């Protein structure tokens, strides 16, 4: 089991290679001053979905994952590509809470364990995400940068 966790962590250290394999990107923003978001979705087969959000260093993120299939997991990936949390490697997956050491776009990756994905299983899920310790950064501007 430990070897499997190490392999997963190494794979997550190379996000560019994983993005080449068709990971779907769905960004979200926190609503209002509460800095909370709830995402309901469905994952099927080999599908992987990255739910992206912006956060600042020093903020604390809390994630609660409630899947309908015990073979569904989530990971948390920092802007640097480093895995902060690997659901399959945890004794009791489903909750993550940490103070962030980076600023930028983080991802919560939802997926099915490999054997369940090969069988084409599905899972409904609910992600509850909260961010405390300040307001999240504003979304990037669509306007081009102009020098003075």
């Amino acid at each position: 089991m430990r070897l499997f966790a190490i392999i997963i962590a190494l794979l997550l250290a190379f996000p560019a290679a994983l993005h080449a394999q068709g990971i779907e990107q769905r960004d979200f923003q926190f609503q209002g001053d509460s800095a909370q978001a709830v995402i309901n979705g469905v994952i099927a087969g080999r599908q992987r979905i990255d739910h992206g959000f912006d956060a600042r260093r020093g903020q604390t993120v809390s994630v609660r994952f409630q899947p309908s299939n015990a073979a569904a997991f989530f990971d948390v990936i920092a802007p640097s590509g480093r895995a902060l949390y690997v659901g399959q490697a945890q004794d009791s997956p489903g909750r993550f809470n940490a103070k962030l050491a980076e600023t930028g776009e983080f991802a919560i990756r939802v997926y099915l364990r490999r054997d369940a994905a090969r069988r084409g299983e599905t899972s409904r899920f609910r992600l509850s995400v909260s961010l405390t310790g300040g307001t999240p950064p504003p979304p990037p501007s669509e306007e081009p940068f102009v020098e003075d």
Side-chain angles (χ1 to χ4, degrees):
M1 181 68 171
R2 235 187 227 308
L3 177 61
F4 182 71
I6 291 170
I7 291 170
I8 293 294
L10 287 173
L11 287 174
L12 291 175
F14 302 100
L18 291 175
H19 280 287
Q21 296 177 9
I23 297 173
E24 189 176 329
Q25 183 71 33
R26 296 183 188 171
D27 293 343
F28 69 94
Q29 293 182 0
F30 294 99
Q31 301 300 315
D33 295 332
S34 64
Q36 295 182 357
V38 175
I39 301 162
N40 294 301
V42 176
I43 192 91
R46 297 175 191 262
Q47 180 183 26
R48 287 177 282 177
I49 304 170
D50 276 4
H51 296 278
F53 65 96
D54 290 319
R56 290 189 175 120
R57 178 184 177 153
Q59 291 183 302
T60 299
V61 65
S62 297
V63 180
R64 183 170 182 216
F65 181 63
Q66 298 168 285
S68 64
N69 184 332
F73 294 93
F74 79 98
D75 300 340
V76 178
I77 303 163
S80 64
R82 185 172 62 95
L84 301 179
Y85 176 87
V86 178
Q88 287 190 61
Q90 306 302 314
D91 291 332
S92 56
R95 291 184 184 266
F96 171 76
N97 186 52
K99 189 170 187 176
L100 302 174
E102 298 180 43
T103 294
E105 185 172 359
F106 291 78
I108 301 170
R109 179 167 295 153
V110 177
Y111 59 94
L112 289 168
R113 192 177 54 228
R114 188 174 177 169
D115 61 326
R118 279 194 306 251
R119 289 191 298 268
E121 292 183 20
T122 63
S123 179
R124 291 181 315 280
F125 65 87
R126 179 183 181 99
L127 270 176
S128 301
V129 186
S130 67
L131 194 61
T132 58
T135 57
S141 172
E142 297 294 326
E143 298 178 21
F145 177 74
V146 179
E147 281 190 45
D148 291 330

